Amino acid sequence: MTPYEPSRDPGAGPVYDVVVLAGGAARRLGGADKPGVRVGGRALLDRVLAACADAGTTVVVADPRPTARPVTWAREDPPGGGPLAALDAGLRHTTARYVLVLSADLPFLQEGTARLLLTVLRTGGADGVLLTDADGRDQPLVAAYRATSLRHELAALTKEHGALTGLPLRRLTAALDLTRVPDPVASFDCDTWDDIATARARIREHGHVLDEWISAVKDELGIDLDVDTGVLLDLARDAAHGVARPAAPLTTFLVGYAAARAGGGSEAVAEASRKAAALALRWADEADGDPAATPDAGPDTRPDAG
C-alpha cells in the first residue's frame, strides 16, 4: 500500500487498453442518462474517452450509443450486475498488459493523468495505481491495473461466490497491492446534479474556460491537433490592433486554412501563424508612419496622383 507523489513529467508510458464502466443506474441523478449528460458542451462519456484516445482498445461496458470516437461495446450478463461483473465483461475484450479502468462520469480527467497512472504502474511493482479524492478516499474507477492481476482476482472471486453479480468493487481492490496518487480534480466524479453544476461552473472559470473551449471544438470537429493557444492569441491581438478588430477572427481562420493546405499539424499552424503575425506587425508599422517600414517610399508620380 504505497503512497505516491505524482511527477510533472510522466513520460510516454506503456501501450494499454481501457475499460470504461458506463452502465450504472444513476439513481442519485433520478435515473438520468449520466454518460450522456453534457459538461462544457460534451457528453461526460466523450470527455472520458478523449483522455485515453491513444489506447490500443477502448471497451465501454454499456448499451451502445453514439460516441465521439469508435469503441468496442460490451455488457455484463445480466445487465445491471454491478461493477465487478461489468469489469469482467469489459476485460474479456482486452489484450494489453496494462488496463486503465474508468467510470464514465469524470469531467476533469486529462490525458496527462491517464499517462501518469500507467507510468507509475509500469515502473513500480504494485498490482494497480489509483487516484484518491479530496478526502483521501480511494477511487478504483480512476486507475490503471495489471491485467493479469485483475483476471486472477476476478477468477478467484467467481470461484468463491459462483458469480460476480452484485459484489462490491472493494472485494476486488482489497485483494490487490495498490499505489495511491492524490488528485482531487481528476478524481472528481458526477454522482448528483450538484456535482454536474459544480463541474459546469468550474470549466467556465477564467483559468479553465479557454482550454475547455478549444478541447470541445477539437472534439466536435474531429481534430486531433495540439494547438498553441498563446501563438494564436498573439496573432489575433496583433491583427486586431494593427489592422482592425474583425481582422482577428478572419486571420486566424485563414491561418487554419493555410495550415491545412500545408498538410496540417502543429508545425504547419505555427509557421502560418508566424507569417501572418509578421504581416500584421508590418501593417501596424506602416500605419504608425514608421519610415523603416516603407524603405521604398517616395513621391507618388502616378499621373492621377493628387
Side-chain angles (χ1 to χ4, degrees):
M1 304 293 186
T2 309
Y4 184 84
E5 182 67 25
S7 166
R8 293 181 177 272
D9 183 16
V15 175
Y16 67 103
D17 292 336
V18 178
V19 175
V20 182
L21 306 188
R27 293 182 180 86
R28 296 172 69 185
L29 288 177
D33 175 27
K34 183 161 66 169
V37 172
R38 296 185 180 275
V39 172
R42 292 189 291 166
L44 283 170
L45 176 57
D46 284 335
R47 296 178 71 91
V48 171
L49 294 177
C52 51
D54 59 345
T57 297
T58 298
V59 184
V60 180
V61 185
D63 293 330
R65 65 172 65 234
T67 52
R69 66 184 185 85
V71 301
T72 298
W73 296 98
R75 201 69 169 109
E76 71 275 23
D77 184 19
L84 285 189
L87 175 57
D88 182 63
L91 200 61
R92 294 175 187 274
H93 295 270
T94 66
T95 57
R97 181 179 179 183
Y98 306 103
V99 179
L100 202 63
V101 178
L102 305 169
S103 62
D105 60 351
L106 303 167
F108 305 129
L109 185 68
Q110 299 291 328
E111 182 180 357
T113 304
R115 303 304 292 176
L116 173 61
L117 289 170
L118 290 157
T119 300
V120 175
L121 179 62
R122 179 192 60 182
T123 57
D127 295 315
V129 180
L130 54 74
L131 295 190
T132 56
D133 65 16
D135 296 320
R137 293 173 298 195
D138 288 354
Q139 298 297 312
L141 296 184
V142 199
Y145 298 95
R146 298 184 191 277
T148 53
S149 298
L150 289 181
R151 291 191 174 98
H152 179 269
E153 294 303 331
L154 288 171
L157 287 169
T158 301
K159 182 177 180 180
E160 179 182 356
H161 297 277
L164 297 172
T165 301
L167 294 181
L169 196 57
R170 64 178 177 273
R171 296 297 298 271
L172 172 68
T173 55
L176 298 174
D177 176 27
L178 300 173
T179 295
R180 273 84 179 172
V181 177
D183 192 330
V185 176
S187 63
F188 181 88
D189 56 359
C190 294
D191 290 327
T192 68
W193 286 114
D194 284 344
D195 294 336
I196 296 291
T198 297
R200 287 172 171 170
R202 184 182 186 277
I203 67 168
R204 285 168 171 77
E205 293 174 358
H206 177 71
H208 308 289
V209 65
L210 187 58
D211 287 340
E212 288 285 349
W213 171 248
I214 294 298
S215 295
V217 171
K218 290 194 297 182
D219 195 45
E220 189 74 14
L221 299 180
I223 298 172
D224 183 14
L225 175 68
D226 290 330
V227 178
D228 190 333
T229 55
V231 168
L232 293 177
L233 287 174
D234 286 346
L235 167 61
R237 179 203 61 207
D238 292 341
H241 292 300
V243 184
R245 187 173 297 274
L250 293 172
T251 303
T252 51
F253 164 77
L254 292 172
V255 163
Y257 182 75
R261 290 190 62 187
S266 56
E267 292 183 2
V269 173
E271 177 62 13
S273 299
R274 183 193 63 77
K275 290 180 178 179
L279 174 61
L281 292 175
R282 294 198 303 270
W283 188 290
D285 287 341
E286 291 179 15
D288 292 339
D290 182 358
T294 54
D296 298 328
D300 192 339
T301 58
R302 291 175 299 169
D304 59 347

PDB file of all heavy atoms in Angstrom, residues 283-296:
ATOM      1  N   TRP A 283       2.092  45.775 -41.080  1.00  0.00           N
ATOM      2  CA  TRP A 283       0.926  46.613 -41.366  1.00  0.00           C
ATOM      3  C   TRP A 283       0.801  47.717 -40.316  1.00  0.00           C
ATOM      4  O   TRP A 283       0.550  48.876 -40.632  1.00  0.00           O
ATOM      5  CB  TRP A 283      -0.315  45.714 -41.376  1.00  0.00           C
ATOM      6  CG  TRP A 283      -1.578  46.370 -41.847  1.00  0.00           C
ATOM      7  CD1 TRP A 283      -2.304  47.332 -41.210  1.00  0.00           C
ATOM      8  CD2 TRP A 283      -2.263  46.100 -43.080  1.00  0.00           C
ATOM      9  NE1 TRP A 283      -3.402  47.671 -41.937  1.00  0.00           N
ATOM     10  CE2 TRP A 283      -3.405  46.929 -43.097  1.00  0.00           C
ATOM     11  CE3 TRP A 283      -2.041  45.227 -44.142  1.00  0.00           C
ATOM     12  CZ2 TRP A 283      -4.327  46.925 -44.144  1.00  0.00           C
ATOM     13  CZ3 TRP A 283      -2.953  45.221 -45.182  1.00  0.00           C
ATOM     14  CH2 TRP A 283      -4.073  46.057 -45.193  1.00  0.00           C
ATOM     15  N   ALA A 284       0.979  47.346 -39.053  1.00  0.00           N
ATOM     16  CA  ALA A 284       0.865  48.310 -37.963  1.00  0.00           C
ATOM     17  C   ALA A 284       1.964  49.356 -38.044  1.00  0.00           C
ATOM     18  O   ALA A 284       1.735  50.545 -37.782  1.00  0.00           O
ATOM     19  CB  ALA A 284       0.922  47.586 -36.623  1.00  0.00           C
ATOM     20  N   ASP A 285       3.191  48.922 -38.392  1.00  0.00           N
ATOM     21  CA  ASP A 285       4.298  49.861 -38.505  1.00  0.00           C
ATOM     22  C   ASP A 285       4.008  50.910 -39.572  1.00  0.00           C
ATOM     23  O   ASP A 285       4.308  52.099 -39.398  1.00  0.00           O
ATOM     24  CB  ASP A 285       5.595  49.114 -38.840  1.00  0.00           C
ATOM     25  CG  ASP A 285       6.130  48.327 -37.653  1.00  0.00           C
ATOM     26  OD1 ASP A 285       5.721  48.637 -36.509  1.00  0.00           O
ATOM     27  OD2 ASP A 285       6.946  47.409 -37.861  1.00  0.00           O
ATOM     28  N   GLU A 286       3.438  50.489 -40.696  1.00  0.00           N
ATOM     29  CA  GLU A 286       3.102  51.441 -41.756  1.00  0.00           C
ATOM     30  C   GLU A 286       2.061  52.436 -41.280  1.00  0.00           C
ATOM     31  O   GLU A 286       2.145  53.636 -41.575  1.00  0.00           O
ATOM     32  CB  GLU A 286       2.589  50.688 -42.979  1.00  0.00           C
ATOM     33  CG  GLU A 286       3.654  49.868 -43.691  1.00  0.00           C
ATOM     34  CD  GLU A 286       3.088  49.121 -44.883  1.00  0.00           C
ATOM     35  OE1 GLU A 286       1.964  49.465 -45.315  1.00  0.00           O
ATOM     36  OE2 GLU A 286       3.752  48.194 -45.376  1.00  0.00           O
ATOM     37  N   ALA A 287       1.065  51.946 -40.539  1.00  0.00           N
ATOM     38  CA  ALA A 287       0.013  52.832 -40.051  1.00  0.00           C
ATOM     39  C   ALA A 287       0.552  53.847 -39.056  1.00  0.00           C
ATOM     40  O   ALA A 287       0.041  54.965 -38.949  1.00  0.00           O
ATOM     41  CB  ALA A 287      -1.094  52.006 -39.392  1.00  0.00           C
ATOM     42  N   ASP A 288       1.620  53.468 -38.338  1.00  0.00           N
ATOM     43  CA  ASP A 288       2.222  54.378 -37.364  1.00  0.00           C
ATOM     44  C   ASP A 288       3.189  55.361 -38.005  1.00  0.00           C
ATOM     45  O   ASP A 288       3.790  56.181 -37.312  1.00  0.00           O
ATOM     46  CB  ASP A 288       2.958  53.571 -36.289  1.00  0.00           C
ATOM     47  CG  ASP A 288       1.997  52.782 -35.410  1.00  0.00           C
ATOM     48  OD1 ASP A 288       0.807  53.163 -35.362  1.00  0.00           O
ATOM     49  OD2 ASP A 288       2.425  51.795 -34.784  1.00  0.00           O
ATOM     50  N   GLY A 289       3.390  55.217 -39.308  1.00  0.00           N
ATOM     51  CA  GLY A 289       4.285  56.126 -40.004  1.00  0.00           C
ATOM     52  C   GLY A 289       5.746  55.837 -39.812  1.00  0.00           C
ATOM     53  O   GLY A 289       6.590  56.722 -39.939  1.00  0.00           O
ATOM     54  N   ASP A 290       6.087  54.608 -39.521  1.00  0.00           N
ATOM     55  CA  ASP A 290       7.476  54.220 -39.330  1.00  0.00           C
ATOM     56  C   ASP A 290       8.168  54.203 -40.690  1.00  0.00           C
ATOM     57  O   ASP A 290       7.847  53.373 -41.543  1.00  0.00           O
ATOM     58  CB  ASP A 290       7.550  52.840 -38.684  1.00  0.00           C
ATOM     59  CG  ASP A 290       8.983  52.396 -38.415  1.00  0.00           C
ATOM     60  OD1 ASP A 290       9.915  53.137 -38.767  1.00  0.00           O
ATOM     61  OD2 ASP A 290       9.159  51.285 -37.857  1.00  0.00           O
ATOM     62  N   PRO A 291       9.136  55.113 -40.949  1.00  0.00           N
ATOM     63  CA  PRO A 291       9.780  55.150 -42.264  1.00  0.00           C
ATOM     64  C   PRO A 291      10.541  53.882 -42.585  1.00  0.00           C
ATOM     65  O   PRO A 291      10.687  53.510 -43.743  1.00  0.00           O
ATOM     66  CB  PRO A 291      10.720  56.358 -42.165  1.00  0.00           C
ATOM     67  CG  PRO A 291      10.956  56.562 -40.709  1.00  0.00           C
ATOM     68  CD  PRO A 291       9.669  56.155 -40.050  1.00  0.00           C
ATOM     69  N   ALA A 292      11.011  53.166 -41.552  1.00  0.00           N
ATOM     70  CA  ALA A 292      11.751  51.940 -41.812  1.00  0.00           C
ATOM     71  C   ALA A 292      10.836  50.854 -42.372  1.00  0.00           C
ATOM     72  O   ALA A 292      11.294  49.891 -42.981  1.00  0.00           O
ATOM     73  CB  ALA A 292      12.400  51.436 -40.522  1.00  0.00           C
ATOM     74  N   ALA A 293       9.539  51.022 -42.165  1.00  0.00           N
ATOM     75  CA  ALA A 293       8.599  50.021 -42.656  1.00  0.00           C
ATOM     76  C   ALA A 293       8.324  50.180 -44.143  1.00  0.00           C
ATOM     77  O   ALA A 293       7.799  49.282 -44.770  1.00  0.00           O
ATOM     78  CB  ALA A 293       7.286  50.106 -41.886  1.00  0.00           C
ATOM     79  N   THR A 294       8.681  51.350 -44.718  1.00  0.00           N
ATOM     80  CA  THR A 294       8.421  51.597 -46.147  1.00  0.00           C
ATOM     81  C   THR A 294       9.683  52.168 -46.781  1.00  0.00           C
ATOM     82  O   THR A 294       9.718  53.329 -47.191  1.00  0.00           O
ATOM     83  CB  THR A 294       7.251  52.578 -46.322  1.00  0.00           C
ATOM     84  OG1 THR A 294       7.528  53.769 -45.567  1.00  0.00           O
ATOM     85  CG2 THR A 294       5.950  51.969 -45.818  1.00  0.00           C
ATOM     86  N   PRO A 295      10.755  51.387 -46.890  1.00  0.00           N
ATOM     87  CA  PRO A 295      12.023  51.910 -47.390  1.00  0.00           C
ATOM     88  C   PRO A 295      11.960  52.387 -48.834  1.00  0.00           C
ATOM     89  O   PRO A 295      12.789  53.172 -49.265  1.00  0.00           O
ATOM     90  CB  PRO A 295      12.970  50.710 -47.251  1.00  0.00           C
ATOM     91  CG  PRO A 295      12.071  49.517 -47.244  1.00  0.00           C
ATOM     92  CD  PRO A 295      10.845  49.964 -46.546  1.00  0.00           C
ATOM     93  N   ASP A 296      10.979  51.927 -49.574  1.00  0.00           N
ATOM     94  CA  ASP A 296      10.884  52.336 -50.967  1.00  0.00           C
ATOM     95  C   ASP A 296       9.969  53.529 -51.165  1.00  0.00           C
ATOM     96  O   ASP A 296       9.684  53.932 -52.300  1.00  0.00           O
ATOM     97  CB  ASP A 296      10.356  51.165 -51.830  1.00  0.00           C
ATOM     98  CG  ASP A 296      11.311  49.979 -51.783  1.00  0.00           C
ATOM     99  OD1 ASP A 296      12.526  50.229 -51.654  1.00  0.00           O
ATOM    100  OD2 ASP A 296      10.831  48.837 -51.855  1.00  0.00           O
TER     101      ASP A 296
END
